[in-house]
Amino acid sequence: MDIQELKDIDEEFVLHTYARANVGFVRGENATLYDLNNLDYIDFGSGIGVNSVGHNNNLLVDSITDQAKSILHSSNLYHIQTQSKLAQKLVSLYQRQSLESSDMRVFFSNSGAEANECAIKIARKFGYPNRYKIITLQKSFHGRTIASLKATGQEDMHKYFGPYGDGFVYAKDINDVKNHIDSTTCAVLIELVQGEGGINALPKQQVQNLATLLKEKNILLMIDEVQSGIYRTGKLFASNIYGIQPEVITMAKGLGGGIPIGATMTSLCDIFSTGEHGSTFGGNFLSTRAGLCVLDILDSLYSSNLLNKTIQTFESKLDSLISTYPHILQKRVGLGLMCGVVVQNNDMQKNIIQKALQNRLLVLKSGQNVIRFLPALTISDDEINEGFARLEQTLKEI
Ligand SMILES: *Cc1c(COP(=O)(O)O)cnc(C)c1O
């Protein structure tokens, strides 16, 4: 099938919710993708932070193949070995990286939005019956379901889809959160690095101050790590880097390496009684087996310090490009391999993404004027070098 045929079918049969680039891929190897014409692309986006261990990772392919040959799904009516083991592994890896290690438990779902829905239900039950208000931040992104959309602090995205449930308020920034706390507040939900809102890493001291204040007031701190989690920022969670112990952490994107999975981890171990929350697919054999394999791969990258080296290589490449093209690239933002570069304006952002694609380099947008990079955490030095060569070629054409 060529790209035009593919576009025609898409146009006719698929709802038009995406502004797709003029390319389709058929296979990949680590951080390199091949299109319908077998042309290679360097992938600095990894499917929006999903292909955390690269494309066609042998270990992941073998483990999900092996799993498919025995059992894919049984439902949560029965015990699921891979689900129990993945919960145990997430909690123990987290405890190894946090300062104080409290007990945590995990609920599995299929996406980031669902992971946040679970967090919202935890907060509401925690506050029941008098406290229901959840504070989020402007420019945040928490998902597309009705509640997670309402939690998202971008009012233009709310248009058309109301009425919504009440109880979400938006603080201007991390310092402004305290001004919105009242006797009905049960939780604060934030991203530590805003992924869609401009790769905006919140200031560490202010986050720690807020965490302390919330503990005093018995208000839950819930961190949306759907994008920043699973070693993306250099540790298991950005929360580990910020040195905070939130009551709830949500994750999804990188956890399954391409197999859909979401998870909500909480220190409120007994918040739900049987039947109060659930999911048909959530935590099935396939996705949790994938999660186990991904955590194995990434934990060894982290422990051997290879992840740290990759982060340093990527950052120094980006910094040197910024110093060569200061009239186009303003500054590096983000944390670890959740990073980006600020450009002058929205036109420049679009122009760079478009021309990079023509040079067969995939990069993402974030906010109005940031070029975002979320490469596979397994990206090789050769792929980094080739990607930056293509980015430099792109800048020369601007
Ligand atoms: C992507 C994302 C979501 C939504 O995840 P889906 O899997 O698309 O539902 C929620 N929060 C953050 C921070 C995200 O980056």
Side-chain angles (χ1 to χ4, degrees):
M1 189 180 284
D2 70 13
I3 186 71
Q4 193 54 49
E5 254 178 284
L6 179 52
K7 278 169 69 177
D8 289 346
I9 300 175
D10 196 69
E11 169 87 9
E12 187 171 351
F13 295 106
V14 179
L15 280 175
H16 297 177
T17 58
Y18 303 106
R20 298 188 204 272
N22 196 30
V23 63
F25 298 106
V26 291
R27 66 190 174 88
E29 283 296 330
N30 202 22
T32 308
L33 277 168
Y34 296 87
D35 73 3
L36 293 154
N37 299 317
N38 207 27
L39 291 171
D40 66 278
Y41 291 68
I42 298 295
D43 183 6
F44 276 2
S46 61
I48 321 188
V50 166
N51 301 103
S52 52
V53 297
H55 300 280
N56 194 20
N57 183 297
N58 283 334
L59 293 169
L60 182 59
V61 170
D62 288 349
S63 80
I64 60 184
T65 306
D66 181 61
Q67 189 60 53
K69 286 177 178 168
S70 43
I71 181 169
L72 290 173
H73 181 90
S74 66
S75 109
N76 283 304
L77 297 170
Y78 314 105
H79 287 283
I80 301 167
Q81 225 183 86
T82 49
Q83 181 182 131
S84 311
K85 281 190 183 164
L86 181 57
Q88 181 183 41
K89 183 158 197 138
L90 270 171
V91 171
S92 69
L93 287 175
Y94 177 67
Q95 287 174 338
R96 234 173 50 197
Q97 291 206 0
S98 26
L99 305 174
E100 315 153 17
S101 51
S102 59
D103 289 341
M104 305 285 271
R105 284 183 190 162
V106 185
F107 177 84
F108 290 103
S109 52
N110 311 287
S111 67
E114 278 181 85
N116 287 332
E117 291 281 336
C118 178
I120 292 164
K121 284 177 74 173
I122 288 172
R124 291 283 168 77
K125 182 152 187 211
F126 171 76
Y128 187 82
N130 298 319
R131 296 196 292 153
Y132 58 87
K133 202 168 91 178
I134 298 171
I135 303 170
T136 68
L137 291 184
Q138 285 176 17
K139 294 194 198 165
S140 58
F141 182 79
H142 299 297
R144 303 283 193 163
T145 59
I146 290 292
S148 65
L149 182 60
K150 185 63 177 167
T152 294
Q154 303 184 52
E155 312 241 7
D156 51 331
M157 289 176 67
H158 299 166
K159 201 181 166 190
Y160 304 122
F161 305 118
Y164 296 93
D166 310 331
F168 291 97
V169 292
Y170 315 107
K172 198 161 77 342
D173 53 35
I174 189 80
N175 262 335
D176 184 39
V177 170
K178 58 180 180 301
N179 303 324
H180 294 267
I181 294 175
D182 63 24
S183 61
T184 65
T185 307
C186 61
V188 172
L189 171 65
I190 54 174
E191 300 156 89
L192 293 172
V193 184
Q194 291 186 322
E196 305 303 311
I199 303 294
N200 175 24
L202 304 186
K204 187 171 175 179
Q205 190 58 53
Q206 292 175 25
V207 169
Q208 290 182 344
N209 293 347
L210 178 68
T212 307
L213 178 75
L214 297 180
K215 286 250 188 308
E216 281 164 22
K217 294 190 175 291
N218 194 29
I219 293 169
L220 301 183
L221 178 57
M222 312 202 295
I223 306 295
D224 179 344
E225 299 238 25
V226 169
Q227 195 162 149
S228 61
I230 316 298
Y231 297 96
R232 172 65 45 202
T233 61
K235 290 197 172 191
L236 179 60
F237 294 113
S239 296
N240 299 124
I241 295 176
Y242 278 73
I244 53 172
Q245 280 83 45
E247 281 76 24
V248 179
I249 294 178
T250 61
M251 66 205 87
K253 290 188 165 86
L255 179 57
I259 303 292
I261 184 169
T264 308
M265 186 166 78
T266 180
S267 58
L268 281 71
C269 290
D270 296 305
I271 189 76
F272 291 132
S273 304
T274 305
E276 287 177 350
H277 197 46
S279 165
T280 299
F281 292 121
N284 84 6
F285 286 94
L286 183 68
S287 63
T288 50
R289 179 73 182 267
L292 277 168
C293 179
V294 165
L295 286 183
D296 266 342
I297 296 168
L298 296 182
D299 180 46
S300 72
L301 266 188
Y302 168 76
S303 304
S304 62
N305 208 36
L306 276 175
L307 178 59
N308 205 14
K309 283 198 186 124
T310 305
I311 290 172
Q312 281 171 12
T313 305
F314 202 93
E315 284 179 348
S316 72
K317 277 275 173 185
L318 184 52
D319 285 343
S320 92
L321 207 58
I322 292 171
S323 65
T324 317
Y325 295 87
H327 53 295
I328 305 176
L329 307 178
Q330 297 182 344
K331 65 167 179 171
R332 172 161 65 80
V333 288
L335 211 52
L337 291 177
M338 183 171 180
C339 60
V341 62
V342 180
V343 299
Q344 288 114 300
N345 55 36
N346 193 235
D347 286 342
M348 183 59 86
Q349 181 196 48
K350 286 185 181 149
N351 200 0
I352 290 175
I353 293 170
Q354 176 68 32
K355 287 211 166 66
L357 182 68
Q358 286 160 8
N359 285 300
R360 305 204 314 279
L361 169 68
L362 305 179
V363 295
L364 304 167
K365 67 171 182 172
S366 177
Q368 292 302 302
N369 64 341
V370 173
I371 308 292
R372 171 172 46 157
F373 309 106
L374 302 172
L377 308 181
T378 52
I379 191 170
S380 68
D381 285 353
D382 284 350
E383 287 170 321
I384 294 176
N385 291 338
E386 181 59 27
F388 276 99
R390 293 181 190 194
L391 187 54
E392 174 148 29
Q393 177 57 35
T394 302
L395 297 176
K396 282 183 182 151
E397 294 167 10
I398 297 282

